[in-house]
Structures are given as structure tokens and as C-alpha cells.
Amino acid sequence: MRYILLLLSTSMLVSCVSFSDNSFQPVTASIRDQLPGVTLTREFAVAMGGLVFDVLDVFAIGEDGFSEMDAVQVAVYKVTGVENFDSLNFEQTLSARDRHLHWDTVVRVREESEKVWVLLGMDYGKASVEAVSIFVLDNDELVLINVTGEF
């Protein structure tokens, strides 16, 4: 019985995890449109759905839960063909992905070897933050992180 339960729970968790960057395709297309000549080559991608976080809530009894998160997507791209990402409009880039959200940059770090942008996706109709997106450019590597849920 233990093995059946373990097999069922493992298959549920695995079915909620994807190693595709499909959720970032509108974002990468917008980056390519804004920065002609840029090449983004996917090195890694993972996406996790809400069921994963519901299961984690079971193990974190009495703690603040993960169930407020609907999904987490992470992708890492090798970047070539562009020297300056500062001209990129990240609000426009994320609007290509979630048109119903209004995006604002809340944190911007510009160091010589690393640049970071943190954006909030707000639903004005609900008066709530629905998504958080983080862009990290470290030399020739771009990391995209997107978390959706009820914050």
C-alpha cells in the first residue's frame, strides 16, 4: 500500500512539472523584437503548477503556505548579439504575455557585471498583485522567473 501511495503522489508531482519554456515564448519574442540581432538560446527551463504547492502545504503544517502560488516558471537563456539591455522595455515585454495585467518595475539594479529587474503584474480590477517577474542578466546569461498567484 505504501508503494502505491508513493507511486501515485510521485506521478501527481511529476505531472505538474514541465521542462518547457513555452510560457516565456511571448516574452522572448518581445525581447527579440525590441533588440534586433539578439539571440536567446534556452539552457534550462522548468514550470511548476499549483498542485505542487498544495502538496508542499501538506508537509508545512502550521506554516505560511505555498497554496497562494498558482505557478512558478524559470528559464535560463544564453544571450548573444547585444551589448546593452538598458533600452529594453520590460513592461512592454511582459504585457505581451499577460495583457490583462498592468506591469510596473519596482526594483532595478544596474551593476557592471549583473543587472536585475523586478516587476509586479497588477490587476486593477481586483486591486491586487497577480504576478511577480524577475529578470537577471549576468554577463551573457539571462534568467527569467515568473510567479503567479494571490499576493
Side-chain angles (χ1 to χ4, degrees):
M1 182 65 176
R2 272 191 323 196
Y3 295 113
I4 292 173
L5 189 58
L6 180 64
L7 181 63
L8 285 173
S9 61
T10 303
S11 65
M12 276 188 348
L13 286 176
V14 170
S15 67
C16 296
V17 176
S18 168
F19 295 98
S20 170
D21 68 338
N22 288 341
S23 61
F24 286 113
Q25 286 182 351
V27 173
T28 57
S30 178
I31 291 172
R32 288 182 183 105
D33 287 346
Q34 292 181 55
L35 300 173
V38 70
T39 303
L40 300 172
T41 307
R42 183 186 71 172
E43 294 182 334
F44 172 79
V46 65
M48 293 176 277
L51 183 59
V52 172
F53 305 117
D54 291 340
V55 171
L56 288 174
D57 277 342
V58 170
F59 296 111
I61 297 171
E63 301 291 325
D64 287 337
F66 295 96
S67 61
E68 289 80 17
M69 292 191 289
D70 293 334
V72 174
Q73 299 100 15
V74 178
V76 179
Y77 296 92
K78 176 104 172 138
V79 179
T80 55
V82 68
E83 296 292 324
N84 188 359
F85 255 69
D86 292 334
S87 65
L88 191 61
N89 182 338
F90 286 102
E91 291 86 357
Q92 176 184 339
T93 300
L94 289 170
S95 292
R97 179 177 185 195
D98 293 314
R99 297 212 182 274
H100 76 282
L101 298 179
H102 175 79
W103 292 93
D104 281 325
T105 302
V106 293
V107 175
R108 181 178 295 136
V109 177
R110 293 181 186 169
E111 294 183 2
E112 191 170 319
S113 64
E114 184 177 72
K115 294 174 177 31
V116 179
W117 297 265
V118 178
L119 295 97
L120 296 180
M122 294 169 281
D123 185 337
Y124 285 158
K126 293 181 184 177
S128 66
V129 175
E130 299 286 319
V132 177
S133 288
I134 303 167
F135 293 76
V136 180
L137 180 64
D138 185 14
N139 294 324
D140 63 347
E141 195 170 70
L142 177 65
V143 179
L144 306 177
I145 303 168
N146 191 61
V147 181
T148 58
E150 299 172 11
F151 302 105

